[in-house]
Amino acid sequence: MFRSIIKALSGILITAIVIASLYISVTVPGGISGFWTMISAVSGLNQSADTVENSAFSLPAGFHVDIVAEDLGYARFILVTKNNDLIVSIADIGQILLLEDKDGNGTTETHSTLIEGLNGPQGLAFDGDWLYFSESDKVSRVLFDHSSGRLTGEIEPLITDLPYDLIHKAKIIGISPDRKLHIGVGSPCNVCEPEDPRYAAMLRAELDGSNPHILATGLRNTVGFDWTPWSGELYATSNSRDLLGDDFPPDDLNLIVEGGFYGWPYYHGDNVPDPEFGDKRPDLAAVAIPPAHKFRPHNAPLGIHFVEDYANMPEHLQRTALVALHGSWNRSTLDGYKVVSLHWDSEENITRRDFLSGFITAGGVLGRPVAIAQDQQGHFYITDDLGGRVYRVQYRP
């Protein structure tokens, strides 16, 4: 009941904001129909009346999906412990949960709160027995016992002054193969020139939070990144700007290099100038790095996970990443709302295929994929912040 009230109030607030934007001549694609599509998708009020059991999920041959947790609320990022339990960040109520399957029946019937009272928790990462987690303004860590599923020490704040504003508050974290802490910081706006250079950037620091510095810039809203198992290169998703129509600009997958600039707010896609900001920095056109792969506009790619090379994985998932497409709000017709696979060939060319689809139903949107994790048996776990679920995808040829 409480969540329903919050969701309704969020819808009212977003409606007021968008109506205000219309008065200042911001165009919503698709007219009044597109307006209600936007309200529906952003507020979460578009949840389908269909049940998961009635949905027609589509997967590659040999893969099967089931639900291992539900009624979680705004479930965002996920980790798998060494004990095959799940840790999930619940951003709307400021909690990090531990989900346990104590009777071994395949569902996580025991849900306990690991940490609470947080400011928009999102990113999660393990470094041995250290559990790292992010909030809107900080990154912290705490010792975690994988066997008991309990914290064994006090929370240690590492970086406590990260910038955030009303939008793009999520801080996504990861630890590189050379054991450096990475942090994605979104922009404070749709399109603007932020004063704080840490906005729209990838940050890097030591594991104890020391020496934080900017690794790359021009990344409007990076909400997922991971390193390739075969080369150790860092790829990050990014959500491009809105309110330029259905078909522009594309959302991005970027190959992150130290000192790289990736275009925002001046250039989009293959360095096409922004209609408002493209003439402000013509000197950057020659150095802006275009995306390694372009997603369809407004598909909102979030979590990315490179498939790990377990013996029971099919061969076609070698050199492959799974990406969660959260789904569009800034389009006259909804698009995205699925998990796709990206496949690298020997020359680093990337092709895309659908992996888990079926979240758009005749009754509405069933769920919005956010993040992906993989356990030691090769099972994939996918969070859904609209349905409040965790899905498990496993290969049973």
Side-chain angles (χ1 to χ4, degrees):
M1 178 66 179
F2 177 76
R3 291 187 191 279
S4 299
I5 293 171
I6 293 298
K7 213 174 242 191
L9 290 175
S10 299
I12 293 170
L13 175 61
I14 293 167
T15 302
I17 291 171
V18 177
I19 290 174
S21 74
L22 293 177
Y23 278 109
I24 58 173
S25 301
V26 175
T27 302
V28 176
I32 192 66
S33 173
F35 170 79
W36 287 115
T37 296
M38 178 177 70
I39 294 302
S40 173
V42 174
S43 68
L45 300 176
N46 57 344
Q47 188 163 358
S48 171
D50 289 351
T51 64
V52 175
E53 290 77 11
N54 292 335
S55 68
F57 283 120
S58 178
L59 283 155
F63 284 93
H64 305 267
V65 61
D66 52 5
I67 297 173
V68 295
E70 53 188 336
D71 299 323
L72 297 177
Y74 197 57
R76 295 289 283 177
F77 283 80
I78 186 168
L79 288 179
V80 183
T81 74
K82 295 176 184 176
N83 206 36
N84 272 354
D85 297 322
L86 305 178
I87 295 177
V88 180
S89 58
I90 313 296
D92 59 341
I93 58 175
Q95 293 184 350
I96 295 175
L97 301 183
L98 176 72
L99 314 182
E100 299 173 279
D101 176 18
K102 290 188 174 181
D103 61 8
N105 68 352
T107 60
T108 59
E109 66 282 339
T110 303
H111 300 175
S112 56
T113 302
L114 275 180
I115 309 172
E116 58 187 345
L118 301 177
N119 177 16
Q122 296 266 0
L124 300 166
F126 271 132
D127 179 60
D129 292 334
W130 284 108
L131 169 62
Y132 285 74
F133 62 93
S134 66
E135 302 174 64
S136 296
D137 59 340
K138 65 172 67 76
V139 177
S140 306
R141 68 180 179 182
V142 63
L143 284 170
F144 175 80
D145 186 332
H146 289 260
S147 298
S148 66
R150 299 296 176 260
L151 304 182
T152 59
E154 298 297 321
I155 292 173
E156 179 183 343
L158 302 177
I159 302 172
T160 59
D161 65 341
L162 295 174
Y164 73 99
D165 215 302
L166 291 176
I167 65 172
H168 306 155
K169 296 187 292 184
K171 302 297 185 291
I172 308 309
I173 60 174
I175 296 175
S176 60
D178 61 353
R179 300 185 67 237
K180 303 292 184 183
L181 177 64
H182 290 66
I183 309 161
V185 181
S187 68
C189 56
N190 178 33
V191 58
C192 64
E193 296 177 304
E195 293 184 4
D196 191 323
R198 296 176 297 172
Y199 277 122
M202 179 77 74
L203 311 183
R204 183 168 60 189
E206 301 301 321
L207 289 182
D208 62 1
S210 62
N211 189 31
H213 58 279
I214 295 173
L215 175 66
T217 58
L219 300 162
R220 178 179 176 271
N221 189 27
T222 287
V223 196
F225 53 87
D226 197 9
W227 289 264
T228 61
W230 60 88
S231 64
E233 293 175 301
L234 173 58
Y235 282 90
T237 63
S238 186
N239 290 203
S240 297
R241 71 157 293 182
D242 297 312
L243 303 176
L244 290 180
D246 278 6
D247 301 318
F248 184 79
D251 287 331
D252 301 336
L253 178 74
N254 295 298
L255 174 58
I256 304 299
V257 297
E258 187 165 5
F261 170 69
Y262 293 86
W264 185 89
Y266 311 105
Y267 304 96
H268 310 293
D270 293 324
N271 290 344
V272 178
D274 183 85
E276 298 176 57
F277 286 80
D279 60 351
K280 293 181 181 293
R281 292 296 304 272
D283 56 306
L284 294 177
V287 299
I289 302 173
H293 177 77
K294 296 188 288 290
F295 297 98
R296 288 168 58 84
H298 315 302
N299 272 199
L302 300 187
I304 177 173
H305 171 75
F306 280 97
V307 177
E308 297 170 14
D309 187 17
Y310 294 112
N312 58 351
M313 283 288 101
E315 185 176 351
H316 67 80
L317 285 187
Q318 305 299 312
R319 296 175 63 92
T320 295
L322 301 182
V323 179
L325 302 185
H326 198 227
S328 63
W329 65 268
N330 180 221
R331 298 190 85 255
S332 57
T333 56
L334 297 178
D335 196 9
Y337 299 91
K338 58 187 171 183
V339 177
V340 297
S341 57
L342 302 181
H343 305 263
W344 277 252
D345 66 17
S346 58
E347 297 181 355
E348 303 301 307
N349 299 308
I350 302 172
T351 56
R352 183 177 69 246
R353 307 172 193 167
D354 283 358
F355 183 76
L356 173 63
S357 58
F359 288 96
I360 298 178
T361 74
V365 174
L366 180 69
R368 306 188 78 185
V370 177
I372 303 152
Q374 188 176 357
D375 68 16
Q376 296 180 22
Q377 289 71 46
H379 305 147
F380 301 110
Y381 295 88
I382 301 164
T383 53
D384 162 12
D385 65 7
L386 178 60
R389 305 181 184 98
V390 176
Y391 301 88
R392 180 179 57 207
V393 175
Q394 49 190 323
Y395 184 57
R396 298 198 302 266

